[in-house]
Amino acid sequence: MDVIIDFISNIPWWGWILVFLFIVAIRDIFIQRSHTISHNFPIIGHLRYLFESIGPEMRQYFVANNREELPFNRIERGWIYASAKKENNYEGFGTDRDIYAHQHIFINNAMMPFQLPDHHPHHEDKTFLPCAKVMGLYHKRKRPFRPASIINVSAMSFGSLSAKAIESLNKGVQISGAYHNTGEGGLSAYHSHGGDVIFHFGTGYFGVRSQDGGFSLEKLVKLVAENPFIRAIEVKLSQGAKPGKGGVLPGKKITKEIAEIRGVAIGKDVLSPPNHKAFSNVPEMVDFIEKIADATGLPVGIKAAIGKLEQWEELANIMASTGKGPDFITIDGGEGGTGAAPPSFADHVSLPWVYGFSDIYKLFQSKNLSERIVFIGSGKLGFPAKAAMAFAMGVDCINVAREAMMSIGCIQAQICHTNRCPAGVATQSKWLQSGIDPTLKSERLAQYFKTFRKELIEISHAAGYEHPCQFKMSDIEMNVDDHNLSKELHRTYNYEKTQVAFNGMQNLKDCLYLGNYPQLTQNKNH
C-alpha cells in the first residue's frame, strides 16, 4: 500500500492529465454509445461539441458584422443598450446600412418641421407621448384607458422571465408612464410595483383558472377588484412564435411560487392547449369579451398572429352589425418573439408583422371599424423609424418584448428556453438572476422608453407633425424592387390609413382616462 501511495504521490501534474485523458478515451470507445464522433475520434471529438456550444458567441462577437445578425444585429442592440444607459447613441460618418436594400424605410421630412407653440407639454417633458386613442371609450366601458405611453412592455410572463426581471420591468414602466402586459403566466407580486398593468391570459387561464383547467370569471373579477392598477384585459388567441400551437413551460422552471400563481403542479411541464375552452367560434368569443367587460368594467382586447382572414372577416361583420367586440387588437408578427417554438413554426407559420397588420387593418377599415379599435403592433418595432412606419400603417401603440429584455441586460444568448440565461432575465436560477439589480435595471428600461419616445417625437416633428398618429401612408417610402426602387406605403400595401382624431398633445395630457404618468401625478399633487 505504501508503495502505491508513494507512486501516486510522485506522478507529475502532466501525468494526471494523461491519466484523465486515458479514462475519457476508454469511456468514449467502450462505454458511451450516443455520440458517434466521440466514439470514432476519442478525446478529440469532444472539441467539436465544445466549439459547437460556443459557436453563437463566437459569431456574435468575432465573426458577424454590425448589420448581419438576426434577430437583432449589433447596431440595433447597441442602440438599445446606449439608450437605456443614457449614453451617446449617435452614429458618426454616415449610415453603414445598405439604403438600397429591400424593405429599407425612408421617412419623408417636411421643408418646415413642426414648431412647438408656447406652453406646449413638450416644453416641460420632451418624452411625453401618450396614445391618441382611448381603449373602451366607444363601447362605453366603465373604466376606459388611454395608455400614457405609445411604447409598452409586451406579454412576457413570470416563469418565462425571472422574478427580478419582471420586477425591473414593472418598476421601469412606473417610472416611464408605460404599461406592463403580464403575459399568460398570471399576475404576481412582481407586477405590483406601481406600473399600469394589462392582464393577459391564454388557453391555460393561469391566474384565473378553475379547478377543471377552464376559465373562472369569478377569479378574474376578484383579481381586478383587488388590483386597481389592472387597466385592461387581453385574451390571447395566438402568438407569433407558434400560432395554433399550445405553449410549454418546462418543469425545471416551475418553482413553488410559480405553481401557486398559475395553479399547476411543481416540477411538471405545463402545457397550454391550442384552443380555448371558454369559446369555440367567433360569435362565442364576442360574447365572452362582452361578459368580461361587463363584469370588470375594463376594456378587453385580443392578441393574435395573422394567417387566414375568414374568421377575422366574421369578427368584423359581427362588430359592425352589433356594436360589440374587442376594444383593442394586438397584432403579433409571425417571425416569433420571446416564446420558444419549433423552427418549423417560428420560420414558417403565420405572416410577418407588416403583412399581417396590413391585411387586418384593411379588413376592419373596410367595415368602418378602424376608428373604434385601438391597434397595437408587436413585432420588432422597438426602434423609432420602424415605429414611424407602423404608425403610418395604422397602429396606435406598440408593445416590445425582446427590446425591453435587452434594456435590462439581455445579451441575445438565445437560450431562453433552457433556464440557463446568462443575464438572469429568462431563468428561475437564483444564482443567475442574482446579478440583476431591479433599482438599476428599472431605470434603464425607463430611459430606453424615454429615449425612444423622444426620438419618435423628433422624427414626427421633422415630418411636420405633432404626434406620430398623424403620419400618413404617403409619408413613408419603402424599397420594394429594382424597377421602382421605393414606393409609398399606401402603394405598397394598397390602402390608406384612417386618420386618427387628434386635437393636440395638451388635449391628451388633460384626458380623464390617461394612464399613470408619474410627472403629471407629481404636478397634480403639488
Side-chain angles (χ1 to χ4, degrees):
M1 180 62 71
D2 291 340
V3 173
I4 295 174
I5 294 174
D6 185 57
F7 174 76
I8 292 174
S9 63
N10 288 322
I11 296 176
W13 63 268
W14 51 266
W16 286 112
I17 295 176
L18 292 176
V19 170
F20 173 76
L21 293 177
F22 178 75
I23 293 172
V24 171
I26 294 298
R27 177 255 181 198
D28 288 344
I29 297 171
F30 298 106
I31 299 175
Q32 74 85 27
R33 292 294 179 184
S34 57
H35 298 290
T36 304
I37 297 297
S38 295
H39 175 271
N40 294 345
F41 302 93
I43 302 174
I44 296 174
H46 288 278
L47 295 177
R48 182 260 185 192
Y49 299 109
L50 172 64
F51 289 138
E52 183 182 48
S53 69
I54 63 173
E57 288 80 4
M58 296 291 289
R59 290 189 292 274
Q60 184 179 52
Y61 293 109
F62 301 110
V63 178
N65 67 37
N66 287 346
R67 298 286 186 185
E68 199 170 42
E69 295 171 273
L70 291 173
F72 294 89
N73 63 48
R74 190 173 297 139
I75 292 294
E76 291 171 329
R77 297 198 312 274
W79 182 84
I80 293 173
Y81 296 147
S83 299
K85 297 174 184 177
K86 209 172 182 179
E87 296 175 350
N88 185 346
N89 63 1
Y90 283 30
E91 292 180 9
F93 214 64
T95 182
D96 62 355
R97 280 186 183 272
D98 177 5
I99 61 174
Y100 301 103
H102 183 64
Q103 290 196 328
H104 186 79
I105 298 166
F106 300 97
I107 301 167
N108 293 327
N109 60 296
M111 178 185 285
M112 302 292 177
F114 176 80
Q115 186 172 356
L116 292 180
D118 294 339
H119 310 298
H120 190 277
H122 287 162
H123 288 301
E124 182 180 348
D125 182 356
K126 296 183 185 300
T127 71
F128 178 64
L129 190 58
C131 180
K133 289 181 184 175
V134 180
M135 293 178 179
L137 195 60
Y138 177 88
H139 291 126
K140 297 182 174 60
R141 308 302 188 200
K142 295 173 187 175
R143 291 175 54 193
F145 173 49
R146 184 192 296 275
S149 171
I150 53 87
I151 180 171
N152 303 281
V153 174
S154 190
M156 297 182 287
S157 59
F158 172 51
S160 295
L161 299 194
S162 68
K164 288 196 174 182
I166 294 292
E167 180 181 345
S168 300
L169 294 173
N170 193 260
K171 288 181 175 179
V173 300
Q174 194 278 329
I175 296 168
S176 62
Y179 66 68
H180 186 182
N181 190 308
T182 63
E184 65 175 314
L187 184 74
S188 70
Y190 311 107
H191 292 99
S192 310
H193 291 279
D196 285 334
V197 164
I198 289 185
F199 180 75
H200 168 112
F201 65 84
T203 56
Y205 304 116
F206 303 125
V208 288
R209 185 181 174 99
S210 61
Q211 290 294 327
D212 64 355
F215 172 73
S216 170
L217 182 61
E218 293 74 18
K219 285 188 177 181
L220 179 60
V221 170
K222 184 173 183 289
L223 188 75
V224 169
E226 292 175 349
N227 300 280
F229 52 81
I230 298 177
R231 305 300 301 271
I233 296 164
E234 183 175 78
V235 182
K236 187 183 85 169
L237 304 179
S238 62
Q239 66 184 94
K242 48 197 169 198
K245 178 178 172 61
V248 180
L249 184 65
K252 59 187 175 183
K253 272 193 169 188
I254 300 175
T255 63
K256 180 182 178 182
E257 184 179 28
I258 292 170
E260 289 175 352
I261 292 169
R262 295 195 176 208
V264 297
I266 299 173
K268 292 184 178 180
D269 290 353
V270 175
L271 306 177
S272 300
N275 300 99
H276 277 268
K277 285 186 176 181
F279 54 88
S280 59
N281 55 47
V282 176
E284 288 179 2
M285 181 185 74
V286 172
D287 291 341
F288 181 67
I289 288 169
E290 292 298 322
K291 183 166 66 172
I292 291 174
D294 290 343
T296 63
L298 297 180
V300 181
I302 56 176
K303 174 184 177 177
I306 307 302
K308 296 181 179 181
L309 298 179
E310 291 87 350
Q311 289 172 319
W312 287 99
E313 185 164 12
E314 184 181 1
L315 172 60
N317 288 333
I318 291 172
M319 292 179 67
S321 62
T322 66
K324 299 177 180 180
D327 300 290
F328 62 95
I329 298 176
T330 302
I331 302 300
D332 207 10
E335 53 266 54
T338 54
S344 54
F345 270 80
D347 295 347
H348 301 289
V349 182
S350 85
L351 296 172
W353 185 85
V354 287
Y355 303 148
F357 180 82
S358 59
D359 283 352
I360 290 299
Y361 189 90
K362 280 188 288 189
L363 175 59
F364 281 89
Q365 186 188 53
S366 69
K367 311 290 184 182
N368 297 316
L369 298 169
S370 54
E371 292 178 277
R372 71 190 237 195
I373 299 169
V374 175
F375 289 100
I376 302 174
S378 177
K380 292 180 68 176
L381 300 176
F383 304 92
K386 286 187 177 179
M389 177 198 71
F391 273 87
M393 293 177 69
V395 306
D396 303 294
C397 279
I398 67 168
N399 285 351
V400 294
R402 291 169 289 182
E403 298 95 316
M405 289 167 63
M406 284 188 276
S407 75
I408 64 169
C410 166
I411 62 169
Q412 194 172 276
Q414 295 180 270
I415 52 174
C416 312
H417 56 296
T418 66
N419 204 35
R420 294 186 285 107
C421 170
V425 175
T427 178
Q428 296 309 310
S429 164
K430 297 294 185 183
W431 168 252
L432 290 173
Q433 62 178 295
S434 66
I436 297 179
D437 177 2
T439 302
L440 172 64
K441 299 300 185 180
S442 61
E443 290 286 350
R444 289 188 176 174
L445 174 86
Q447 189 57 52
Y448 160 57
F449 277 8
K450 290 178 180 179
T451 302
F452 175 96
R453 295 195 306 241
K454 177 177 178 291
E455 291 195 14
L456 182 55
I457 288 168
E458 290 170 347
I459 288 174
S460 302
H461 290 177
Y465 300 127
E466 184 180 3
H467 191 286
C469 75
Q470 296 174 284
F471 272 111
K472 301 181 180 69
M473 301 282 279
S474 57
D475 292 318
I476 312 292
E477 295 188 27
M478 176 184 288
N479 290 343
V480 291
D481 55 44
D482 291 330
H483 175 64
N484 185 4
L485 196 58
S486 68
K487 286 184 179 180
E488 295 90 348
L489 288 181
H490 71 282
R491 294 172 62 206
T492 302
Y493 296 111
N494 299 314
Y495 72 95
E496 283 281 4
K497 164 197 166 185
T498 304
Q499 286 305 115
V500 176
F502 177 69
N503 297 315
M505 201 69 73
Q506 188 65 47
N507 181 263
L508 303 186
K509 183 178 178 180
D510 296 336
C511 177
L512 291 174
Y513 311 120
L514 185 68
N516 179 24
Y517 196 77
Q519 187 166 336
L520 297 182
T521 305
Q522 292 167 8
N523 292 341
K524 288 175 183 176
N525 290 338
H526 289 310

